[in-house]
Amino acid sequence: MSETNSAAETAAPHRYTAAMAADIEARWQDFWDAEGTYEAPNPSGDLAGDPELAAKPKKFIMDMFPYPSGAGLHVGHPLGYIATDVFARYQRMTGHNVLHTLGFDAFGLPAEQYAVQTGTHPRVSTEANIENMTAQLRRLGLGHDKRRSFATIEADYYKWTQWIFLQIFNSWYDTEADRARPIAELVAQFESGARPTPDGRDWSALSAVERADILGEYRLAYASDAPVNWSPGLGTVLANEEVTADGRSERGNFPVFKAKLRQWNMRITAYADRLLNDLDGLDWPEAIKLQQRNWIGRSEGARVDFPVDGADSITVFTTRQDTLFGATYMVLAPEHELVERITPAAWPEGTHAVWTGGYATPAEAVAAYRKLAAAKSDVERQAEAKDKTGVFTGAYATNPVSGEKVPVFIADYVLMGYGTGAIMAVPAHDARDFAFARAFELPMRCVVEPSDDRGTDPSTWDDAFGSYDAKLVNSANDEISLDGLGVVDAKARITAWLTEHGVGRGTVNFRLRDWLFSRQRYWGEPFPIVYDEDGVAHPLPESMLPLKLPEVDDYSPRTFDPDDADTQPETPLSRNADWVNVTLDLGDGNGPKKYRRETNTMPNWAGSCWYELRYLDPNNDRELVDPAIEQYWMGPREGQPTGGVDLYVGGAEHAVLHLLYARFWSKVLHDLGHISSVEPFHKLYNQGMIQAFVYRDSRGIAVPAAEVEERDGAFYYQGEKVSRVLGKMGKSLKNAVTPDEICAEYGADTLRLYEMAMGPLDVSRPWDTRAVVGQYRLLQRLWRNVVDEETGAVTVVDAEPDEETLRALHKAIDGVGQDMAGMRFNTAIAKVTELNNHLTKAGGPLSRSVADSLVLLVAPLAPHIAEELWHRLGHTESVVHGDFPVADPAYVVDETVTCVVQVKGKVKARLEISPSITDAELEALALADPAVVAALGGAGIRKVIVRAPKLVNIVPA
C-alpha cells in the first residue's frame, strides 16, 4: 500500500476500500449460507419451506453446466453466472420464488487425460477442481440454493442417468401414436399376432437372439454394427456433432476416420419432426434455432427402388424424382452394405477400361477404393475436389421408369450419413454428377429444358443445368409422360406412378443421424447392460442401480498413431475381468446366470441431458423427480406451452450438441409419463465472450500480457517489440486474469459491476483491468452517500426529498427496473451511476427513503455492499428479499419538454410544454407564438406537421 493511500485511510478509516470490501463480502456470504437466504422452497417434499414463498410465482433460472477445470476460473468464465445471479436477485425482489443453483458436469475426457498423465485418479482431481471452483464462485456472492447442488460423478446422481438409459432402451417409437411407448407393448403385439414378424413366423417360434434382433430395430437405444467416427489419437469413437468441419475431433484436433464397429446408439431420428416443429414455441435466439433446423435437415422427396440383377434392389432418396428419366448411372457410398453382395467375380464383357481403376477384378477394385475412402473424413469427401474418383462395382441396376440398365459405381462423394447411402446420378442437372460423368465417360440425358441457349445435348455443355422453374423434356414411357410439366406437377405425377407400381413412394428425409452413444473411456457412466452367452443384451433391474464405476489401475484407453485408420478401440474397463464377467440373477425367472458387462461408457453429454430435473428434487431416491415438484417448476403454462426452465444462459457453441440431446431426452421422458414438460429450456440466452489481448513475440509465441509495456502506441516485452491481437482469454495464451486477483484488489462487487457494465450481455467485449476502477469508484461514492467515512455513522435524515431528487430517483427506478427485466445490465448500471452522481452533486445528507431505494436498486448488482448498507440503515431482514422499488408515474414523466417549431425547415421558436399535450393543442400554441407569427409575415399556411410533444413543422403557402 502506498504512503498516500495509507494516509488517506488513516484520515478516513471508514472509507470503502478493498480491505473493507473483503471483510463485508466474507461476512455476508457466511450469513447467507447460515441463514439459507437463497433456499427456494418446493411446494412439497423434503425441500418444502415457507408456504407463502412457495405460493408466489416461480422462476427457474439456470446456467449451463460448468466443467470443473484444473486451471480454475478466469474472469471470462463467470460472465454468465453473474448475469443469471443479477437476474435471479431482481426476480426475488419482484415477488418470485426463484430456483437458482449450480452443479458440476464432472465426467469426461479432461480429468481422464490428467489421470493418465499423472496417475491421479480422475475422481481425486475432479473433486479437487470442484472444491476450488466452488470457492471461487462463492467469492463472487452468487445466490445459489446450495442444497440442490451436485456433480454428475456422484453415484446417487448417475443412478438416475442409468435409469433413464434403461427407460429409453425399453421403449420404441410408435409412429401412429407419434410418441414413445414401452417395449413391452410392442412385444405384446408380436405375441398376439397383431403385428407380424418380418418373416411371418410366430413370435414363440423365434429364438432369443432372433427376438432381440427384431426388437433392436425398434428400440430407442440400440446396439448396431454401423459406420462410426473413429479417432485413433483419442482411442474412442465420436458422435457426428463432435467432429469439426475439418474432419477432426472437437477435443484434441485429431484426425477422424470411418470404421465399422458395434456401438450403442440413441434413435434420436425418431423425434426429428418433433424436434423441428417444437422449436417454434421456444424463446430462443433465431441463430440457434436455424442451426438446429439445418442440423435436423428435413427434406421432402421420394424413395425409388432400382432392381439389381439378382434379388437385391438399390433404394435411393431423391428430392428431384421428376428427373428420374435422366438417371444414367448410380453411385453407392463405399461402405454401403450392398457393395459386397452385388459385386460380381469378373468384369462384365465390354466394361470400359476407365471404369475399372486398372484392377483385374471388380472385387480388387472395390477393396482398394474402399480402403482409400476410409482414410478420408466426411468433410474431405464432400469437398469439391477437382478430380472425381470412383470405381465400377461390376453390377448394373435397372432404371424403373426407362427400363435402361445403368452401371453402379462406388465413389467417396456419396456418404452413408445422408439418405440411403445411394444416389441416382442425373449428370445433366447436378454439378457433381456432371463432373463424375465427364471423368468416367458416362452418358448424360437432358430432362430439364435449359433456359439459356445451350441446347438439349449435354455432351456439348460446359456445366450442369438445374432449375426449379423449368419444364420437363425427354421424360416419357408407354405409361406416363412428364413432358411439358413444371417441376412441382412432375414430382407429384411421378411419385403417384412409383407408388402405384410398387417401385417407390413419397417420403421425408432428414440429415439428422442417430446419436452415437458409446465411448471407449473409463471416466463416464457405466452402461446398465449385461450380455448373455448368446450375446443378447439384458437391462439390469432397477434394484441393481447404480452400477458403480469400478476402480482400475490403468485409466487410459488404448490410443494409436493419430493417422492410423486400421486400428480398433480397446476400452479400459475391458481389462478388469473380475468386473466384466459376473454371475447375476436378473429377476427374469431364469435364476443366476453368467453375463458379460458392457465395457464402453456413456458420453460426457449423458449427465447434462437431464440435470435440470435433478435440481428440482435432488435428494429423491425413489423416483426420477416428484411429479408435483416437476409440474410446479417446469410444467406447461400460459406463454410456455411446452414447459421448461424459465431462463437458460450459456454459450452458443452447444447449439446442436447438448441442446439437441437434452430436448430429445425430455421428449422421451414426457412420452413415457415421467415429466409434464415437453421441452427442457423455454428461454435460451447466449452470453457473449470476454476477450483479452494476446501479445506475441517475433517467434509467434505468446508472452505474459501483464508484463507488456505500451510506449508511443507500440507494445514491448522485456525490451522487445511484440504484436497485439484481440482473442480468447486463457492460460495457454498467457493473458488470463483470475477473479481472485480482481476481488483482492477491488472486491467482488466491483468485479460484478464491471463485468455487467462492459457492454450488452450477448456481445463479446475486451477485458481491460485498468477500467475496473470506474466501478470501484461508483461503489465508493455510493458508500459515501450513506456512511460518514471518518466516523462510520449513517448520515441519512428523515426529511422529505425535494422534487428534483424525487424525479431523478423515480426515473432511475423506472429505467433500472425495465433494464433488469430485459437483462440490459450495462444500461441499468449507467442509470444507477447517473442517480448516484446526481445525489452526490446535490450535497447534504440523503433522505432515508431515497437511501433505501438507492440501496435496493443496486442490490441485484452489488449484493454485499447493498446488504451492509441495508442493515446499517436499520433494516433487520435481508435485502435479498426486499421489495424492488416501484416508480411513481407522476415523477417519471418530465414536467415539461422542449418543442422545436420550424418554418420552412428553419427553427423559429422553442416551446416549453407538457409532455402529454395533444397535437391540436400544440399546433394552436405554435401558430400563436410571436416568433412564428413574425416568421410567417402574414403568408398563408399550406400544411402544419405536428409530432407532439417534440416538433412542429409549418409549411407556408
Side-chain angles (χ1 to χ4, degrees), residues 65-71 77 105-114 117 129 229-256 519 521 523 557 559 562 603-605 653-654 657 728:
F65 236 177
Y67 189 86
S69 164
H77 291 125
D105 190 10
F107 275 127
L109 200 55
E112 185 176 279
Q113 288 178 325
Y114 184 76
Q117 293 163 8
N129 294 344
N229 302 304
W230 164 236
S231 174
L234 284 177
T236 190
V237 299
L238 302 169
N240 289 345
E241 294 86 351
E242 295 172 299
V243 181
T244 68
D246 298 322
R248 304 177 76 84
S249 63
E250 184 185 50
R251 185 172 292 278
N253 198 37
F254 290 108
V256 176
R519 295 295 181 276
R521 316 297 312 187
W523 194 233
T559 57
N604 61 298
W605 307 106
E653 65 271 17
H654 294 299
L657 283 159
K728 286 185 175 182

Side-chain angles (χ1 to χ4, degrees), residues 124-167:
V124 173
S125 60
T126 301
E127 288 178 347
N129 294 344
I130 289 173
E131 186 176 352
N132 179 52
M133 189 170 174
T134 300
Q136 286 187 296
L137 292 172
R138 184 181 189 272
R139 193 169 183 182
L140 298 174
L142 303 178
H144 294 147
D145 184 343
K146 295 180 179 179
R147 303 170 304 165
R148 300 174 184 266
S149 185
F150 54 80
T152 55
I153 57 175
E154 296 166 8
D156 60 356
Y157 178 82
Y158 71 73
K159 164 188 174 178
W160 294 105
T161 308
Q162 293 171 335
W163 181 88
I164 295 171
F165 174 84
L166 292 179
Q167 305 312 300

Side-chain angles (χ1 to χ4, degrees), residues 188-235:
Q189 291 181 14
F190 281 125
E191 287 176 339
S192 69
R195 182 183 294 266
T197 61
D199 63 5
R201 286 186 292 162
D202 286 343
W203 185 253
S204 58
L206 302 180
S207 68
V209 173
E210 289 172 324
R211 292 179 187 179
D213 287 344
I214 291 173
L215 294 178
E217 295 297 317
Y218 290 87
R219 291 186 189 273
L220 288 178
Y222 64 96
S224 70
D225 293 312
V228 296
N229 302 304
W230 164 236
S231 174
L234 284 177

Side-chain angles (χ1 to χ4, degrees), residues 453-471:
D453 58 1
R454 67 176 65 198
T456 57
D457 181 2
S459 65
T460 65
W461 297 357
D462 295 325
D463 54 18
F465 172 79
S467 173
Y468 258 73
D469 300 326
K471 302 224 178 270

Side-chain angles (χ1 to χ4, degrees), residues 12-32:
H14 297 278
R15 174 170 294 171
Y16 183 81
T17 61
M20 179 183 281
D23 173 65
I24 289 171
E25 289 162 5
R27 275 193 292 108
W28 287 114
Q29 286 163 16
D30 289 344
F31 173 85
W32 293 329

Side-chain angles (χ1 to χ4, degrees), residues 494-517:
I494 193 64
T495 301
W497 187 90
L498 292 167
T499 305
E500 181 185 339
H501 286 72
V503 291
R505 64 192 184 281
T507 190
V508 174
N509 195 61
F510 294 92
R511 178 178 181 267
L512 181 67
R513 300 292 92 192
D514 280 344
W515 173 15
L516 180 67
F517 202 69

